[in-house]
Amino acid sequence: MTHAAPETAVEASHGDRRAVLTTNDGRPVLEFQLAQASIARVELGVDVDGFDLGVGAEIVSSAESVVQDEWLAASGKAVGVRHVEHREITVALRTRQVAWDVVVRVGADGFAFRYRLPDTARLMGHERTRVAVAPHARAWVLEYQTWYETPRFGSDLRDLPAGEYGFPLLLEVSRDRFVLLSESAIDGRSSGAHASFDGETFTITPADVEIEVEGAHLTPWRVLVAGSLADVITSTLVDDLAPAAGPDALLPRPGRAAWSWWSSQFSGAYLDVQKRFTDFAAEQGWEHVLVDCGWDPAWVPELVSYASARGIQVHLWSSWSDLDGETNLRKLALWRSWGVAGIKVDFMESEAQERYRWYDAIIAETARVGLVVNFHGSVIPRGWARTYPHVISYEGIRGAEYYVFYGQPLTAAHNVIQPFTRNVVGAMDYTPVTFSAPHRETSDGHELALSVVYESGITHFADDPDEYRSRPLAAKFLAELPPVWDEVRLLDGHPDTHATIARRSRDRWFIGCVGAESRETVVAFEPAELIGGPADVWAIGDSDGALTQVRSTGVRDAVEVRLAPRGGFVAIVAPAGAPLNRATTRPALARPRVEERIVVLTGDDVTVHSDATHLRVPPGWAATRNDDGGWMLRPTSRPEPGDLAVVTLEAPGHDDVPVVSHVRILTPLTAASQDVSALPFVSARNAVGPVERGLANGGGDPRDGGPLQVRGQAFADGLGVSHESEIEYAITGTTTRFTGLVAIDDETPTATAIAEILVDGELTASFTVRGGTDPLPFEIAVGGADTLTLRTSIDVGDEAHVDWLTLRLAE
């Protein structure tokens, strides 16, 4: 319905929530009401092409409508179809004969508004939006940082220092009436925003002072979730306001992951460690394993194949800068061709429009190639769970990694605030349950409860498997956690004291409670109320510094749990007589059969024989099925000599996750001289960190070695390895000689090691290399050979850094 509005007020309402826009004071003002009481007053305005649209604005007309929508949530607080109904009013305003609009939404869980700029708009500057609440309000905030990793804390508004605060921020405006301020629906046409507090009001402050816009530009939604804490916890308003996903949107596989970085920061460089964490994920029945920094393309396919037999998917870490630009984005298709399921991208650390355009690019490319995304060092969720369901989680929180970086405990108070603030707006990759965290002030029960209290589309359990195994009750409970949730409720709590959250998976409820108080308290919950009848309960809590369990059957009354100081507990509630424990492990499946692990591209194509039902080929290759059941693979253009293409062979596996094997296709080497250090590895193993190309071994981190240097002389190319290493190359082709030097790097000047060269698996040359001596030269005949292996082992001492220098294959 559209009508002229000569009056100075228009309104929209939904149940007991009401929004009123007026222009009585010369500037448009929105008042938001809950149960007829004002909870927030918002002055409106934005600078466009050099002037403030809010000064002297007049209402021209308004149009009311009902927005009814539904969308499929693939992860989050409750999976399944979500139904949305909002009352919307579009208010047309005029300022100095310039027409612009304010669009207001009112829903069952809060309010939202946005600006539609004039058709002539070209430059948007300062936003004049100012949010005021009762001066006696209490706030839970974090000091603004573009990656949202400062501690959250509570403060009475009158005591809150003036400054910059990040979204979402929570305000208790009156008893059991709360407002959560955030935003939604951002892409590369805008920049992110935060709140500037002047001691009385919050001003919405975009990251960019000004941005170029097109006419009729729509700003992001400014969102005010409003209601009780129970309303806030269950709100999906930020997602509901976001644009709908496309019809072919990539749907993720949510679930639980093993992750080695937290307990061992250089572990991403070691295949054997990643297999150990994969084995634990298999024990637990989890879905994923994350390989953080340091992974090597030589062994990632092997890990993918190893994990796939148990239905476990592999995710890889990358810095955002390594995926910046069209050329770098091509890596994503390559990783997906290995069978990798997702990526964790890190260190974006910006809210600028330029960085949101980067987000647009990587979100589009990951969706195209079929990778899910977990953003770290990132912005907070702003509705992408709906628009881009394959964006499965974000960091945007001071999480467990801060134990590693700073050795400072994450306070229980900080943890308790999160379910009422940060986690309300979307998935939160805190990486919880770190029993071995140094100087931890939280109890074991508190740590275990974070697995339920916090929600993430992919939850990375951060501690070492042995820490979980040493607490069998914890390991058993973590195995029971479902990959997705059907419902969430706040049972009890307040951001200053504790949070008791219940999440339902089918007929079972999982309860987690974390406390912030330094004294012992008692928390109660009613299982029968959750189930709708008698219930069986399995609860795990703290007792004398250890986890203990209580099992109860046929419970009808409230259950009381004694909460240790800064403690917590978990519980599973099921209908009486239904099984409480249902965890199972997935049996290992046979991987597709392959006849050869390396085949040579001698002509225009190559045939691979396998019982696989599907193939993934790397970019630049195509595959067709032969009449005899084999696969013919053909490159779209001839690869460079020495190129080693990885082909993934798939067969049906667990939970629609294929079980895979790999074949490598070698483009033969030619007589032209080849720098061996630049060739791809068939396999690589190194005792200390990854094999370094063009650098000495260094420590355990990728690219941490110094220049290749022996007795003060620098070398331009080569490989830096440690005292235990093995590197295999495929060298089929017309080359006949392998030459180079081997030495101890100046990083370990007193070390001694053994260096060996194997041709087709046969030992051909062996050297004892000593620090402080000149490099030892070699020339090895390799004519007609298929593989070349460089191997090192310790001679005496604890550690040696060995350099393979100026390595060449030639005729």
Side-chain angles (χ1 to χ4, degrees):
M1 178 186 299
T2 302
H3 53 81
E7 67 274 12
T8 57
V10 293
E11 66 177 71
S13 61
H14 189 296
D16 62 354
R17 290 163 175 82
R18 179 170 177 258
V20 181
L21 190 150
T22 64
T23 57
N24 290 333
D25 298 325
R27 176 179 289 276
V29 173
L30 267 172
E31 183 182 37
F32 296 117
Q33 299 174 2
L34 179 61
Q36 300 183 334
S38 177
I39 58 171
R41 183 179 184 274
V42 183
E43 293 184 0
L44 303 177
V46 59
D47 289 357
V48 172
D49 297 329
F51 72 95
D52 180 0
L53 291 177
V55 176
E58 300 175 318
I59 297 174
V60 176
S61 63
S62 64
E64 300 176 34
S65 62
V66 177
V67 177
Q68 291 184 317
D69 200 0
E70 64 180 32
W71 62 281
L72 177 66
S75 61
K77 299 174 184 179
V79 297
V81 176
R82 292 185 183 170
H83 301 280
V84 179
E85 182 177 303
H86 292 159
R87 302 298 191 272
E88 181 176 281
I89 183 164
T90 300
V91 183
L93 299 112
R94 183 173 55 234
T95 305
R96 303 183 195 176
Q97 304 306 309
V98 175
W100 59 293
D101 297 335
V102 175
V103 185
V104 182
R105 290 267 191 103
V106 186
D109 50 351
F111 310 91
F113 64 95
R114 69 195 313 185
Y115 301 113
R116 180 181 288 114
L117 303 188
D119 292 341
T120 57
R122 294 295 176 265
L123 195 67
M124 187 175 79
H126 291 287
E127 189 165 334
R128 307 290 180 175
T129 308
R130 293 167 61 89
V131 181
V133 297
H136 60 264
R138 184 161 176 79
W140 291 269
V141 299
L142 82 166
E143 294 180 358
Y144 179 62
Q145 179 192 62
T146 54
W147 55 103
Y148 296 85
E149 294 181 19
T150 53
R152 290 188 182 266
F153 62 94
S155 171
D156 291 338
L157 199 62
R158 64 173 64 91
D159 299 325
L160 185 66
E164 310 298 306
Y165 296 98
F167 295 138
L169 60 88
L170 180 67
L171 300 160
E172 186 173 19
V173 296
S174 62
R175 184 174 178 81
D176 202 33
R177 287 181 180 171
F178 293 81
V179 172
L180 185 82
L181 182 61
S182 197
E183 57 183 345
S184 178
I186 297 180
D187 57 25
R189 291 170 291 185
S190 300
S191 61
H194 61 278
S196 302
F197 185 60
D198 61 8
E200 295 182 355
T201 60
F202 294 95
T203 299
I204 306 300
T205 306
D208 291 329
V209 174
E210 58 183 23
I211 60 172
E212 293 182 359
V213 295
E214 296 181 356
H217 172 76
L218 278 168
T219 65
W221 289 105
R222 306 310 180 201
V223 182
L224 291 87
V225 177
S228 67
L229 284 175
D231 296 328
V232 171
I233 287 286
T234 59
S235 172
T236 58
L237 185 56
V238 167
D239 290 340
D240 295 341
L241 291 162
D248 299 320
L250 174 64
L251 298 180
R253 182 198 189 203
R256 305 144 297 170
W259 178 48
S260 69
W261 179 91
W262 187 89
S263 57
S264 177
Q265 287 70 64
F266 302 143
S267 58
Y270 304 102
L271 174 60
D272 59 340
V273 176
Q274 298 313 311
K275 285 185 174 181
R276 184 168 74 86
F277 275 75
T278 300
D279 289 341
F280 184 65
E283 285 179 31
Q284 294 292 103
W286 295 346
E287 292 77 19
H288 306 285
V289 64
L290 169 63
V291 187
D292 223 283
C293 57
W295 56 268
D296 195 309
W299 55 252
V300 166
E302 181 179 345
L303 178 64
V304 170
S305 180
Y306 182 85
S308 71
R310 290 288 182 86
I312 296 169
Q313 295 182 299
V314 174
H315 300 244
L316 299 179
W317 177 95
S318 177
S319 170
W320 82 274
S321 57
D322 289 338
L323 296 173
D324 187 24
E326 184 177 348
T327 300
N328 284 330
L329 281 176
R330 293 174 190 160
K331 299 174 186 175
L332 298 173
L334 177 64
W335 300 348
R336 183 66 184 120
S337 74
W338 300 340
V340 170
I343 58 171
K344 169 186 171 181
V345 196
D346 213 342
F347 300 131
M348 286 73 72
E349 299 177 358
S350 174
E351 291 267 30
Q353 181 187 44
E354 178 185 13
R355 194 57 44 82
Y356 273 100
R357 289 174 174 170
W358 174 87
Y359 278 112
D360 288 349
I362 197 166
I363 288 171
E365 181 63 6
T366 50
R368 186 187 74 82
V369 303
L371 291 168
V372 301
V373 188
N374 173 21
F375 287 124
H376 267 235
S378 70
V379 299
I380 57 169
R382 288 179 166 96
W384 289 345
R386 178 182 184 184
T387 311
Y388 310 113
H390 72 291
V391 179
I392 199 167
S393 194
Y394 311 67
E395 189 179 26
I397 183 173
R398 178 176 285 238
E401 69 177 21
Y402 274 77
Y403 285 113
V404 175
F405 287 145
Y406 303 108
Q408 297 176 346
L410 295 169
T411 67
H414 168 80
N415 288 349
V416 167
I417 294 170
Q418 306 305 327
F420 301 105
T421 54
R422 165 63 182 84
N423 216 180
V424 171
V425 301
M428 182 177 78
D429 195 21
Y430 177 102
T431 64
V433 194
T434 50
F435 293 126
S436 65
H439 314 298
R440 176 163 56 91
E441 72 165 35
T442 55
S443 74
D444 279 8
H446 185 116
E447 288 296 308
L448 184 58
L450 296 178
S451 66
V452 177
V453 173
Y454 294 166
E455 181 276 318
S456 179
I458 183 168
T459 298
H460 295 96
F461 295 113
D463 220 329
D464 188 271
D466 288 344
E467 291 292 335
Y468 296 132
R469 293 188 183 108
S470 70
R471 298 166 176 82
L473 286 176
K476 187 173 183 178
F477 179 82
L478 294 176
E480 293 292 336
L481 287 173
V484 296
W485 302 109
D486 298 314
E487 186 180 351
V488 61
R489 293 185 194 176
L490 174 68
L491 299 186
D492 188 22
H494 187 275
D496 281 338
T497 58
H498 68 288
T500 307
I501 308 290
R503 299 186 189 274
R504 181 176 63 82
S505 173
R506 299 183 180 178
D507 66 335
R508 289 189 299 173
W509 285 88
F510 291 74
I511 300 172
C513 175
V514 291
E517 296 186 271
S518 58
R519 60 185 178 86
E520 191 176 86
T521 56
V522 174
V523 174
F525 65 94
E526 299 200 19
E529 185 175 292
L530 290 171
I531 296 299
D536 291 349
V537 180
W538 177 42
I540 303 171
D542 298 303
S543 179
D544 297 325
L547 294 174
T548 58
Q549 66 176 334
V550 175
R551 289 184 179 268
S552 306
T553 59
V555 177
R556 296 177 181 273
D557 301 322
V559 172
E560 290 190 347
V561 179
R562 195 167 298 279
L563 212 62
R566 294 176 293 275
F569 75 87
V570 295
I572 300 177
V573 179
L580 287 163
N581 299 105
R582 306 175 190 178
T584 59
T585 58
R586 293 180 290 270
L589 301 176
R591 287 170 261 180
R593 173 185 52 81
V594 293
E595 294 181 358
E596 299 177 89
R597 67 188 187 108
I598 301 174
V599 293
V600 181
L601 181 67
T602 55
D604 293 333
D605 54 58
V606 67
T607 298
V608 172
H609 293 282
S610 172
D611 56 356
T613 57
H614 184 263
L615 259 67
R616 288 190 183 275
V617 295
W621 287 78
T624 56
R625 196 73 183 260
N626 291 335
D627 292 340
D628 63 358
W631 298 84
M632 186 187 75
L633 296 108
R634 179 188 294 267
T636 54
S637 60
R638 185 74 179 181
E640 293 294 319
D643 182 84
L644 203 61
V646 178
V647 177
T648 302
L649 304 138
E650 298 183 343
H654 295 287
D655 302 335
D656 296 323
V657 175
V659 58
V660 307
S661 297
H662 294 90
V663 170
R664 287 170 168 80
I665 303 175
L666 173 68
T667 303
L669 296 168
T670 64
S673 178
Q674 303 283 341
D675 177 0
V676 175
S677 67
L679 293 176
F681 306 143
V682 173
S683 62
R685 173 181 60 82
N686 194 49
V688 181
V691 174
E692 302 280 9
R693 296 180 189 264
L695 296 172
N697 185 85
D701 220 358
R703 298 189 292 273
D704 64 348
L708 294 163
Q709 184 171 286
V710 180
R711 298 190 69 193
Q713 179 183 354
F715 291 82
D717 60 78
L719 301 171
V721 298
S722 68
H723 50 279
E724 295 285 348
S725 70
E726 186 169 289
I727 306 163
E728 182 185 6
Y729 291 99
I731 61 168
T732 304
T734 60
T735 59
T736 60
R737 293 182 301 117
F738 174 47
T739 61
L741 306 165
V742 63
I744 294 292
D745 191 88
D746 287 351
E747 288 182 344
T748 56
T750 62
T752 303
I754 305 298
E756 298 174 327
I757 300 172
L758 293 81
V759 178
D760 284 342
E762 296 293 327
L763 181 63
T764 304
S766 180
F767 309 90
T768 300
V769 286
R770 294 181 172 85
T773 63
D774 290 335
L776 301 178
F778 56 81
E779 181 171 341
I780 308 293
V782 294
D786 294 318
T787 64
L788 172 69
T789 303
L790 307 179
R791 188 165 66 193
T792 63
S793 58
I794 196 69
D795 184 38
V796 294
D798 296 327
E799 184 170 338
H801 293 182
V802 179
D803 295 342
W804 294 97
L805 303 166
T806 320
L807 303 175
R808 298 292 184 267
L809 281 167
E811 189 175 63

